[in-house]
Amino acid sequence: MDAEDRLLRPPTPSGFDASRAAERAADPTGWRYPDAVRDAVHQVIAERRDIRRFRPDPVPANVLQRILEAAHRAPSVGLMQPWRLILVRDVATRMEVRRLTQRERLRQADRFDAQAGQFLDQKIEGVVEAPLGVVVCCDHGDPGVEILGRGTIPETDVYSTACAIENLWLAARAEGVGVGWVSFYRPADLRELLGIPARVEPLAYLCLGWPDERPVRPGLESAGWGARLPLADVVMEERWRDDDAAPLLDAARGPNRIAAIAARDRSDQLIKPAGSLGALEALIERWAAITGAAPPPALRAGVLVCAADHGHIIHGTSLFDRDVSTQVAAATARSESAAGVLARQGGHTLLVADVGLARPTPPGVRDLKVAAGTADFLAGPALSPGQVDAALQAGADLAAELADDGVGCLAVGEIGIGNTTTAAALLCALTGADPAAAVGRGTGVDAAGLQRKRAVVRDALERHGAGLHVREALAAVGGLELVALTGAVLEATHRRLPVLLDGYATAVAALAATRLDPAVAEGVLASHRSAEQGHRLALDELGLEPLLDLRLRLGEASGALLALPLIAAAGALHREMATFAEAGVSGPR
């Protein structure tokens, strides 16, 4: 390519990461500081001390500014920056703080019995001696404002503020400034003294000033109060150290991080802005983590559709009777249903299996009938333990058959009148979800029908309980097609064959599989989010974002089949787009 034909790669804007994938791959340690700088950081950490005695000399404004800026550079979840710092210079205020701390110290002394004298020897004169007090507060803010990352763990604002305290302390040590943390006071007293509003929590009163001591060991260690534990006593591998702990997962079945990172590296080198393919880049990386490579541009799937009936429909949980399940299964096997048409059009291998239809198995459908439908779960368990085992094995055998045929992934679907009610009941039994949130309209019941479905699920949970072990839940309220798909998902993910979920029922089956083997979660993908409201709950439990949202309510693996061309297209882009180097794009980054 002639020089004039070469494209100049645009420079990286200021404030953005200028490193490239090839550079990071060639030198993974390239972000490391030089030895002298690194050693200085560790020295500051090792020599941080809690100072109790201070010189009266003021801390220069520029030094204090650097210390406060270090505190303000602390990490915070969702960049919420909840810390607020009150600088207390007034001597009268500091004297009142010392009075509050002295009073509380005397109240606490009796708790330490023989060590009470040592406790009282811990000086608090620094509250007045130090020329400056810093009250570090956590402003919890408006509870109605959503903060990224705080929804599940609301206390992250407190943890973030603790990081600001540590930053301040380490920066002060580097400047030679002493810090003493005073913890003998009642927060309500400090609130009143300093006018701190109710939504704000004072976490620390810190004394800052030039130290009138230079301890080589922590003060409490020198006083014999305690000693630092060996590192080995506080570090545990993988999980809490406990002789009764459950066995570890097989690491060999975890995600292939080397392949995933290689896929990410290639995405970074393609002639496009970094991250511009959005969710497709995450899809490619996840596929590589499962299989060891990006999706192939020509993707042939094994489409497994399991069919069964449900005993609870006698309570009006569906608009249709059991005959419809058999009719739809037969039409799918003849490639006349939506799933059949899409499978034929895409050149995929379709396998429809009867694991629990109430009527005889129709032509073209694989007969693996475990029972003629489930029992009514309001009258007793839907399935026996033996039927659960048989359905799990049937699903595993079907997935193994498709895998042995060389398919590139397993797309799963189901057929069964009433199975959205079963899926909702199983989701609630596994997770404790509210039936009002888990039960939807299914094939289109009216308002009265929706109330009937919810009442049936509530009654089932009252009879069998919620938060059940997965095998108990499958037996209590499961459906044969859902149990079979649970077995299929287990088998496919064990073989590192990606599993593409269809709608609500398949997501709940996959959730059951993860409860049997948590490693399964790494091998499943969500094709779409259906119109059934509980589907979102199930996907959230699985931690999956769907590729499509078309408001489908069809089932039969139709949503999964619609997503397959998108996956293949992502694979084609990843494999066939030119890199900057291949396209002759050069110049500054």
Side-chain angles (χ1 to χ4, degrees), residues 502-529:
D502 186 37
Y504 187 17
T506 63
V508 175
L511 180 61
T514 66
R515 296 296 175 90
L516 289 168
D517 181 359
V520 164
E522 300 293 336
V524 296
L525 303 99
S527 63
H528 75 112
R529 181 187 293 115

Side-chain angles (χ1 to χ4, degrees), residues 92-103:
T93 303
R94 288 189 277 122
M95 290 174 63
E96 181 60 15
V97 172
R98 184 173 65 176
R99 186 186 69 79
L100 296 176
T101 59
Q102 177 68 3
R103 182 180 68 185

Side-chain angles (χ1 to χ4, degrees), residues 306-308 353-357 366 368-371 373 391 394-395 398 480-482 484:
C306 292
D354 169 11
V355 293
L357 290 171
R366 182 75 60 85
L368 292 175
K369 195 188 300 285
V370 174
L398 291 166
L480 285 163
E481 79 276 44
L482 301 192

Side-chain angles (χ1 to χ4, degrees), residues 221-467:
E221 183 178 320
S222 299
W225 190 274
R228 190 172 300 279
L229 295 170
L231 182 63
D233 286 1
V234 299
V235 175
M236 294 170 246
E237 294 286 346
E238 306 298 347
R239 60 186 66 199
W240 192 267
R241 186 181 295 126
D242 187 342
D243 292 339
D244 297 326
L248 294 173
L249 298 175
D250 181 2
R253 293 192 40 241
N256 186 335
R257 295 308 304 157
I258 293 175
I261 292 170
R264 184 196 308 162
D265 288 349
R266 177 168 173 80
S267 290
D268 190 61
Q269 296 167 19
L270 300 178
I271 47 172
K272 62 176 182 58
S276 58
L277 289 179
L280 295 184
E281 296 192 22
L283 165 66
I284 292 164
E285 187 174 332
R286 187 176 180 91
W287 195 281
I290 300 168
T291 69
L299 178 60
R300 180 173 70 93
V303 184
L304 175 60
V305 181
C306 292
D309 282 304
H310 301 265
H312 59 70
I313 67 168
I314 63 173
H315 301 290
T317 53
S318 176
L319 296 175
F320 306 101
D321 62 24
R322 295 176 174 184
D323 290 342
V324 175
S325 301
T326 302
Q327 292 165 5
V328 174
T332 302
R334 295 193 301 266
S335 294
E336 294 174 353
S337 71
V341 170
L342 291 170
R344 183 180 68 245
Q345 179 194 48
H348 306 299
T349 300
L350 174 64
L351 199 167
V352 184
D354 169 11
V355 293
L357 290 171
R359 306 303 181 212
T361 304
V365 175
R366 182 75 60 85
D367 184 0
L368 292 175
K369 195 188 300 285
V370 174
T374 64
D376 173 16
F377 57 38
L378 294 190
L383 298 167
S384 70
Q387 289 172 330
V388 170
D389 290 340
L392 285 170
Q393 189 60 56
D397 291 344
L398 291 166
E401 177 182 333
L402 289 167
D404 290 341
D405 187 41
V407 298
C409 70
L410 180 70
V412 292
E414 35 59 48
I415 294 169
I417 294 302
N419 66 16
T420 57
T421 301
T422 299
L426 183 54
L427 177 65
C428 293
L430 289 171
T431 68
D434 185 345
V439 180
R441 293 183 180 273
T443 50
V445 297
D446 59 12
L450 179 60
Q451 292 307 312
R452 283 196 302 274
K453 289 177 67 174
R454 288 176 176 167
V456 165
V457 172
R458 286 195 184 94
D459 290 346
L461 296 174
E462 287 180 7
R463 179 181 183 93
H464 300 290

